[in-house]
Amino acid sequence: ERVEHMHRTEWFLVEQSLDSLSTKLVDMETGCQGAENRVCMCQSCQEAGDYAEGVPGFPWIDERTEKVSIRFLVFNPTYGQYALTSVVFFFARSGHIWKRIVVQS
């Protein structure tokens, strides 16, 4: 059984190739099931050592997911201002998904 309150963080950096980022997204979605002939791209799988030990990964969003938070920084060169944008999805047990978008500058 997995840890009940697991916090996993993945970084998507602009210097990574688009192919690498899309492969990472697929691995996160499928729980690294498609990474049979290669190393799983999920940082959390590599840190846990699950993939190296032959333990299959698990998808990021499943029936136990309560919240997914996405944050990114945007620079507006016209005003010389940064804005931190947070998008948070809350998952109810009933199946409803609420979203909250917050922009701080």
Side-chain angles (χ1 to χ4, degrees), residues 23-35 38 40 42 56-61:
T23 302
K24 187 179 203 176
L25 278 173
V26 169
D27 285 348
M28 290 170 61
E29 182 180 354
T30 63
C32 305
Q33 299 301 321
R38 60 176 173 75
C40 177
C42 298
F58 50 96
W60 264 58
I61 298 177

PDB file of all heavy atoms in Angstrom, residues 23-35 38 40 42 56-61:
ATOM      1  N   THR A  23       7.161  13.102 -23.087  1.00  0.00           N
ATOM      2  CA  THR A  23       7.386  11.749 -22.574  1.00  0.00           C
ATOM      3  C   THR A  23       7.183  11.723 -21.062  1.00  0.00           C
ATOM      4  O   THR A  23       6.593  10.786 -20.517  1.00  0.00           O
ATOM      5  CB  THR A  23       8.809  11.270 -22.923  1.00  0.00           C
ATOM      6  OG1 THR A  23       8.975  11.305 -24.333  1.00  0.00           O
ATOM      7  CG2 THR A  23       9.059   9.865 -22.418  1.00  0.00           C
ATOM      8  N   LYS A  24       7.641  12.769 -20.387  1.00  0.00           N
ATOM      9  CA  LYS A  24       7.464  12.862 -18.939  1.00  0.00           C
ATOM     10  C   LYS A  24       5.983  12.941 -18.575  1.00  0.00           C
ATOM     11  O   LYS A  24       5.530  12.291 -17.630  1.00  0.00           O
ATOM     12  CB  LYS A  24       8.210  14.087 -18.411  1.00  0.00           C
ATOM     13  CG  LYS A  24       8.253  14.210 -16.929  1.00  0.00           C
ATOM     14  CD  LYS A  24       9.048  15.455 -16.575  1.00  0.00           C
ATOM     15  CE  LYS A  24       9.613  15.381 -15.209  1.00  0.00           C
ATOM     16  NZ  LYS A  24      10.452  16.539 -14.895  1.00  0.00           N
ATOM     17  N   LEU A  25       5.214  13.715 -19.335  1.00  0.00           N
ATOM     18  CA  LEU A  25       3.775  13.815 -19.086  1.00  0.00           C
ATOM     19  C   LEU A  25       3.077  12.472 -19.274  1.00  0.00           C
ATOM     20  O   LEU A  25       2.207  12.096 -18.486  1.00  0.00           O
ATOM     21  CB  LEU A  25       3.146  14.861 -19.999  1.00  0.00           C
ATOM     22  CG  LEU A  25       3.258  16.300 -19.563  1.00  0.00           C
ATOM     23  CD1 LEU A  25       2.733  17.235 -20.649  1.00  0.00           C
ATOM     24  CD2 LEU A  25       2.517  16.533 -18.274  1.00  0.00           C
ATOM     25  N   VAL A  26       3.454  11.749 -20.312  1.00  0.00           N
ATOM     26  CA  VAL A  26       2.858  10.430 -20.554  1.00  0.00           C
ATOM     27  C   VAL A  26       3.207   9.484 -19.416  1.00  0.00           C
ATOM     28  O   VAL A  26       2.356   8.728 -18.939  1.00  0.00           O
ATOM     29  CB  VAL A  26       3.308   9.866 -21.923  1.00  0.00           C
ATOM     30  CG1 VAL A  26       2.918   8.409 -22.065  1.00  0.00           C
ATOM     31  CG2 VAL A  26       2.716  10.690 -23.047  1.00  0.00           C
ATOM     32  N   ASP A  27       4.464   9.511 -18.957  1.00  0.00           N
ATOM     33  CA  ASP A  27       4.861   8.664 -17.836  1.00  0.00           C
ATOM     34  C   ASP A  27       4.068   9.000 -16.579  1.00  0.00           C
ATOM     35  O   ASP A  27       3.657   8.110 -15.836  1.00  0.00           O
ATOM     36  CB  ASP A  27       6.357   8.806 -17.550  1.00  0.00           C
ATOM     37  CG  ASP A  27       7.220   8.085 -18.558  1.00  0.00           C
ATOM     38  OD1 ASP A  27       6.664   7.292 -19.347  1.00  0.00           O
ATOM     39  OD2 ASP A  27       8.439   8.298 -18.550  1.00  0.00           O
ATOM     40  N   MET A  28       3.826  10.278 -16.331  1.00  0.00           N
ATOM     41  CA  MET A  28       3.047  10.691 -15.164  1.00  0.00           C
ATOM     42  C   MET A  28       1.602  10.218 -15.294  1.00  0.00           C
ATOM     43  O   MET A  28       0.985   9.806 -14.315  1.00  0.00           O
ATOM     44  CB  MET A  28       3.091  12.211 -15.006  1.00  0.00           C
ATOM     45  CG  MET A  28       4.442  12.733 -14.583  1.00  0.00           C
ATOM     46  SD  MET A  28       4.571  14.523 -14.688  1.00  0.00           S
ATOM     47  CE  MET A  28       3.301  15.036 -13.563  1.00  0.00           C
ATOM     48  N   GLU A  29       1.059  10.271 -16.507  1.00  0.00           N
ATOM     49  CA  GLU A  29      -0.333   9.876 -16.730  1.00  0.00           C
ATOM     50  C   GLU A  29      -0.538   8.372 -16.612  1.00  0.00           C
ATOM     51  O   GLU A  29      -1.524   7.909 -16.053  1.00  0.00           O
ATOM     52  CB  GLU A  29      -0.792  10.363 -18.103  1.00  0.00           C
ATOM     53  CG  GLU A  29      -2.222  10.040 -18.417  1.00  0.00           C
ATOM     54  CD  GLU A  29      -2.648  10.540 -19.778  1.00  0.00           C
ATOM     55  OE1 GLU A  29      -1.864  11.235 -20.448  1.00  0.00           O
ATOM     56  OE2 GLU A  29      -3.770  10.233 -20.180  1.00  0.00           O
ATOM     57  N   THR A  30       0.401   7.607 -17.129  1.00  0.00           N
ATOM     58  CA  THR A  30       0.238   6.154 -17.171  1.00  0.00           C
ATOM     59  C   THR A  30       0.887   5.433 -16.002  1.00  0.00           C
ATOM     60  O   THR A  30       0.785   4.214 -15.906  1.00  0.00           O
ATOM     61  CB  THR A  30       0.832   5.586 -18.469  1.00  0.00           C
ATOM     62  OG1 THR A  30       2.243   5.851 -18.479  1.00  0.00           O
ATOM     63  CG2 THR A  30       0.165   6.169 -19.689  1.00  0.00           C
ATOM     64  N   GLY A  31       1.568   6.169 -15.133  1.00  0.00           N
ATOM     65  CA  GLY A  31       2.260   5.506 -14.030  1.00  0.00           C
ATOM     66  C   GLY A  31       3.504   4.778 -14.487  1.00  0.00           C
ATOM     67  O   GLY A  31       3.855   3.746 -13.941  1.00  0.00           O
ATOM     68  N   CYS A  32       4.153   5.284 -15.515  1.00  0.00           N
ATOM     69  CA  CYS A  32       5.401   4.739 -16.066  1.00  0.00           C
ATOM     70  C   CYS A  32       5.223   3.351 -16.652  1.00  0.00           C
ATOM     71  O   CYS A  32       6.182   2.599 -16.791  1.00  0.00           O
ATOM     72  CB  CYS A  32       6.507   4.737 -15.010  1.00  0.00           C
ATOM     73  SG  CYS A  32       6.796   6.351 -14.282  1.00  0.00           S
ATOM     74  N   GLN A  33       3.997   2.971 -17.004  1.00  0.00           N
ATOM     75  CA  GLN A  33       3.757   1.653 -17.586  1.00  0.00           C
ATOM     76  C   GLN A  33       4.323   1.538 -18.997  1.00  0.00           C
ATOM     77  O   GLN A  33       4.631   0.442 -19.443  1.00  0.00           O
ATOM     78  CB  GLN A  33       2.255   1.347 -17.603  1.00  0.00           C
ATOM     79  CG  GLN A  33       1.625   1.329 -16.234  1.00  0.00           C
ATOM     80  CD  GLN A  33       2.241   0.306 -15.303  1.00  0.00           C
ATOM     81  OE1 GLN A  33       2.565  -0.797 -15.711  1.00  0.00           O
ATOM     82  NE2 GLN A  33       2.407   0.681 -14.047  1.00  0.00           N
ATOM     83  N   GLY A  34       4.467   2.670 -19.706  1.00  0.00           N
ATOM     84  CA  GLY A  34       4.997   2.626 -21.062  1.00  0.00           C
ATOM     85  C   GLY A  34       6.510   2.695 -21.122  1.00  0.00           C
ATOM     86  O   GLY A  34       7.102   2.671 -22.196  1.00  0.00           O
ATOM     87  N   ALA A  35       7.163   2.786 -19.974  1.00  0.00           N
ATOM     88  CA  ALA A  35       8.616   2.929 -19.932  1.00  0.00           C
ATOM     89  C   ALA A  35       9.287   1.577 -19.761  1.00  0.00           C
ATOM     90  O   ALA A  35      10.096   1.365 -18.872  1.00  0.00           O
ATOM     91  CB  ALA A  35       9.004   3.871 -18.799  1.00  0.00           C
ATOM     92  N   ARG A  38      13.061   1.840 -21.350  1.00  0.00           N
ATOM     93  CA  ARG A  38      13.796   3.056 -21.026  1.00  0.00           C
ATOM     94  C   ARG A  38      13.543   3.410 -19.563  1.00  0.00           C
ATOM     95  O   ARG A  38      12.710   2.825 -18.904  1.00  0.00           O
ATOM     96  CB  ARG A  38      13.363   4.215 -21.928  1.00  0.00           C
ATOM     97  CG  ARG A  38      11.904   4.545 -21.813  1.00  0.00           C
ATOM     98  CD  ARG A  38      11.525   5.769 -22.643  1.00  0.00           C
ATOM     99  NE  ARG A  38      10.101   5.951 -22.633  1.00  0.00           N
ATOM    100  CZ  ARG A  38       9.410   6.435 -21.605  1.00  0.00           C
ATOM    101  NH1 ARG A  38      10.029   6.787 -20.514  1.00  0.00           N
ATOM    102  NH2 ARG A  38       8.105   6.554 -21.651  1.00  0.00           N
ATOM    103  N   CYS A  40      12.118   5.589 -16.599  1.00  0.00           N
ATOM    104  CA  CYS A  40      10.953   6.445 -16.372  1.00  0.00           C
ATOM    105  C   CYS A  40      11.423   7.890 -16.183  1.00  0.00           C
ATOM    106  O   CYS A  40      12.430   8.143 -15.531  1.00  0.00           O
ATOM    107  CB  CYS A  40      10.198   5.966 -15.138  1.00  0.00           C
ATOM    108  SG  CYS A  40       8.808   6.998 -14.714  1.00  0.00           S
ATOM    109  N   CYS A  42       9.747  10.336 -14.643  1.00  0.00           N
ATOM    110  CA  CYS A  42       9.220  10.977 -13.440  1.00  0.00           C
ATOM    111  C   CYS A  42      10.316  11.086 -12.382  1.00  0.00           C
ATOM    112  O   CYS A  42      10.941  10.086 -12.031  1.00  0.00           O
ATOM    113  CB  CYS A  42       8.060  10.182 -12.853  1.00  0.00           C
ATOM    114  SG  CYS A  42       6.650  10.026 -13.943  1.00  0.00           S
ATOM    115  N   PRO A  56       6.251  -1.353 -10.424  1.00  0.00           N
ATOM    116  CA  PRO A  56       5.620  -0.445 -11.385  1.00  0.00           C
ATOM    117  C   PRO A  56       5.191   0.858 -10.717  1.00  0.00           C
ATOM    118  O   PRO A  56       4.813   0.878  -9.544  1.00  0.00           O
ATOM    119  CB  PRO A  56       4.411  -1.228 -11.884  1.00  0.00           C
ATOM    120  CG  PRO A  56       4.144  -2.239 -10.839  1.00  0.00           C
ATOM    121  CD  PRO A  56       5.455  -2.540 -10.185  1.00  0.00           C
ATOM    122  N   GLY A  57       5.282   1.941 -11.467  1.00  0.00           N
ATOM    123  CA  GLY A  57       4.840   3.229 -10.957  1.00  0.00           C
ATOM    124  C   GLY A  57       3.323   3.293 -10.900  1.00  0.00           C
ATOM    125  O   GLY A  57       2.633   2.316 -11.169  1.00  0.00           O
ATOM    126  N   PHE A  58       2.825   4.443 -10.537  1.00  0.00           N
ATOM    127  CA  PHE A  58       1.387   4.626 -10.482  1.00  0.00           C
ATOM    128  C   PHE A  58       1.066   6.019 -10.989  1.00  0.00           C
ATOM    129  O   PHE A  58       1.872   6.934 -10.858  1.00  0.00           O
ATOM    130  CB  PHE A  58       0.850   4.396  -9.062  1.00  0.00           C
ATOM    131  CG  PHE A  58       1.605   5.150  -7.999  1.00  0.00           C
ATOM    132  CD1 PHE A  58       1.148   6.368  -7.534  1.00  0.00           C
ATOM    133  CD2 PHE A  58       2.778   4.632  -7.469  1.00  0.00           C
ATOM    134  CE1 PHE A  58       1.838   7.060  -6.562  1.00  0.00           C
ATOM    135  CE2 PHE A  58       3.480   5.316  -6.504  1.00  0.00           C
ATOM    136  CZ  PHE A  58       3.004   6.539  -6.048  1.00  0.00           C
ATOM    137  N   PRO A  59      -0.091   6.186 -11.611  1.00  0.00           N
ATOM    138  CA  PRO A  59      -0.441   7.480 -12.196  1.00  0.00           C
ATOM    139  C   PRO A  59      -0.506   8.591 -11.145  1.00  0.00           C
ATOM    140  O   PRO A  59      -0.745   8.336  -9.974  1.00  0.00           O
ATOM    141  CB  PRO A  59      -1.834   7.237 -12.791  1.00  0.00           C
ATOM    142  CG  PRO A  59      -1.953   5.765 -12.933  1.00  0.00           C
ATOM    143  CD  PRO A  59      -1.111   5.176 -11.848  1.00  0.00           C
ATOM    144  N   TRP A  60      -0.289   9.796 -11.599  1.00  0.00           N
ATOM    145  CA  TRP A  60      -0.324  10.941 -10.696  1.00  0.00           C
ATOM    146  C   TRP A  60      -1.721  11.225 -10.196  1.00  0.00           C
ATOM    147  O   TRP A  60      -1.911  11.612  -9.062  1.00  0.00           O
ATOM    148  CB  TRP A  60       0.235  12.169 -11.409  1.00  0.00           C
ATOM    149  CG  TRP A  60       1.667  12.352 -11.088  1.00  0.00           C
ATOM    150  CD1 TRP A  60       2.668  11.455 -11.306  1.00  0.00           C
ATOM    151  CD2 TRP A  60       2.254  13.464 -10.449  1.00  0.00           C
ATOM    152  NE1 TRP A  60       3.847  11.950 -10.862  1.00  0.00           N
ATOM    153  CE2 TRP A  60       3.626  13.195 -10.333  1.00  0.00           C
ATOM    154  CE3 TRP A  60       1.774  14.662  -9.984  1.00  0.00           C
ATOM    155  CZ2 TRP A  60       4.511  14.081  -9.756  1.00  0.00           C
ATOM    156  CZ3 TRP A  60       2.659  15.543  -9.421  1.00  0.00           C
ATOM    157  CH2 TRP A  60       4.009  15.250  -9.305  1.00  0.00           C
ATOM    158  N   ILE A  61      -2.699  11.060 -11.043  1.00  0.00           N
ATOM    159  CA  ILE A  61      -4.075  11.332 -10.641  1.00  0.00           C
ATOM    160  C   ILE A  61      -4.830  10.012 -10.631  1.00  0.00           C
ATOM    161  O   ILE A  61      -4.936   9.344 -11.652  1.00  0.00           O
ATOM    162  CB  ILE A  61      -4.752  12.342 -11.585  1.00  0.00           C
ATOM    163  CG1 ILE A  61      -4.012  13.666 -11.528  1.00  0.00           C
ATOM    164  CG2 ILE A  61      -6.216  12.525 -11.224  1.00  0.00           C
ATOM    165  CD1 ILE A  61      -4.547  14.718 -12.474  1.00  0.00           C
TER     166      ILE A  61
END
